[in-house]
């Protein structure tokens, strides 16, 4: 008996299926099932889970085209950079965890870093300080996106728990008054405010032209006082 001919597939097929599944649902078994092949066949095409994540994650990151407004000063630029990162990652569930785990893993990630070095170099920063500043802002943006992604997975349960906690705060003798006076801020605006505060803080300690060793020394001195 002659066996059936194995189903043929290309790397582009793996990427297409992986993007369709999304980073949160991505797995060797899921991609193999969608392609109609065995996991063994897929392992022959990619370097395991890490290779699969890199293929799909870098494909997604390749869609992120950072806009650099030449009229923006350093604070405006870093805030825009952080918000662009946050919005993009929120639209691609699971991508934030990919970036948190190890970055950059491939060409798309390296291009994003190169873009930021160029943008900050135009504003008076050396490459090492540019990477340090960008990493801080990107890290905050990614963390907020990952947290939002996680909350969306459990939205219904979280809403119920949030209502309970809110009611408890209203009757807490120490926190009720402070909680009552807090303004209502929409989530996107809250992220913007946090990033704006972070940007102002890092720029104050790392203005254009300041060497990285001086920045690190000042931060270390602050840390020693705590």
């Amino acid at each position: 008996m002659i066996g059936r001919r194995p189903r043929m597939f290309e790397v582009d097929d793996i990427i297409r299926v992986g993007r369709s599944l999304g980073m949160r649902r991505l797995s060797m078994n899921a991609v193999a099932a969608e392609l109609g092949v065995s996991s063994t066949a897929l392992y022959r095409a990619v370097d395991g889970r890490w290779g699969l994540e890199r293929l799909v994650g870098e494909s997604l990151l390749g869609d992120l085209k950072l806009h650099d407004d030449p009229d923006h000063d350093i604070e405006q630029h870093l805030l825009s950079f952080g918000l662009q990162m946050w919005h993009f990652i929120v639209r691609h569930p699971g991508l934030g965890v990919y970036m948190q785990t190890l970055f950059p893993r491939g060409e798309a990630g390296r291009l994003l870093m190169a873009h930021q070095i160029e943008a900050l170099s135009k504003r008076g920063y050396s490459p090492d300080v540019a990477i340090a500043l960008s990493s801080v802002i990107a890290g905050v943006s990614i963390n907020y996106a990952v947290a939002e992604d996680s909350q969306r997975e459990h939205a219904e349960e979280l809403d119920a728990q949030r209502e309970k906690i809110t009611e408890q705060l209203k009757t807490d003798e120490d926190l009720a008054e402070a909680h009552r006076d807090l303004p209502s801020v929409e989530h996107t605006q809250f992220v913007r405010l946090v990033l704006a505060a972070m940007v102002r803080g890092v720029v104050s300690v790392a203005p254009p032209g300041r060497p990285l060793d001086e920045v690190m020394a000042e931060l270390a001195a602050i840390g020693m006082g705590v």
Side-chain angles (χ1 to χ4, degrees):
M1 180 178 177
I2 300 175
R4 290 187 303 172
R5 184 177 179 180
R7 185 184 293 271
M8 302 301 293
F9 62 93
E10 305 290 338
V11 170
D12 286 347
D13 296 317
I14 298 173
I15 295 173
R16 171 181 54 80
V17 168
R19 288 177 62 109
S20 177
L21 287 167
M23 295 298 291
R24 186 192 289 168
R25 297 169 54 210
L26 189 67
S27 71
M28 297 290 287
N29 288 338
V31 171
E34 289 292 324
L35 289 173
V37 302
S38 68
S39 297
T40 301
L42 191 59
Y43 271 102
R44 287 196 290 265
V46 297
D47 185 19
R49 169 77 187 196
W50 283 89
L52 179 62
E53 284 187 347
R54 185 167 59 251
L55 274 177
V56 180
E58 293 304 302
S59 175
L60 289 170
L61 283 176
D63 293 342
L64 174 55
K65 309 299 181 185
L66 292 171
H67 175 65
D68 174 20
D69 189 333
D71 293 331
H72 280 175
D73 62 22
I74 183 57
E75 287 191 3
Q76 291 170 320
H77 169 77
L78 287 174
L79 178 57
S80 174
F81 164 65
L83 289 171
Q84 287 180 70
M85 293 281 290
W86 178 75
H87 280 294
F88 185 82
I89 298 168
V90 165
R91 292 198 300 270
H92 296 87
L95 183 61
V97 174
Y98 168 79
M99 298 176 73
Q100 279 181 327
T101 305
L102 182 62
F103 185 84
R105 297 198 205 182
E107 182 65 17
R110 290 192 291 271
L111 287 175
L112 291 176
M113 294 178 70
H115 177 277
Q116 272 302 96
I117 291 176
E118 180 182 1
L120 294 182
S121 294
K122 294 176 182 177
R123 293 171 172 86
Y125 284 94
S126 61
D128 56 348
V129 180
I131 285 295
L133 286 181
S134 299
S135 297
V136 169
I137 302 305
V140 174
S141 300
I142 292 169
N143 289 343
Y144 268 101
V146 169
E148 183 170 344
D149 187 15
S150 177
Q151 289 183 7
R152 284 181 176 180
E153 279 194 280
H154 310 285
E156 187 173 329
E157 180 183 351
L158 275 172
D159 285 342
Q161 293 299 318
R162 190 176 289 115
E163 288 183 12
K164 289 182 181 180
I165 293 173
T166 299
E167 290 303 314
Q168 291 171 359
L169 288 172
K170 287 180 179 178
T171 58
D172 188 287
E173 62 180 28
D174 297 317
L175 301 176
E177 183 177 355
H179 187 265
R180 184 176 61 249
D181 294 337
L182 287 176
S184 177
V185 180
E186 189 268 332
H187 183 65
T188 300
Q189 181 64 12
F190 177 77
V191 173
R192 176 184 286 272
L193 291 171
V194 171
L195 284 173
M198 177 66 68
V199 165
R200 179 147 297 182
V202 297
V203 172
S204 69
V205 74
R210 191 175 194 188
L212 185 58
D213 58 348
E214 291 185 11
V215 174
M216 297 297 291
E218 180 172 335
L219 292 174
I222 294 172
M224 291 292 291
V226 175

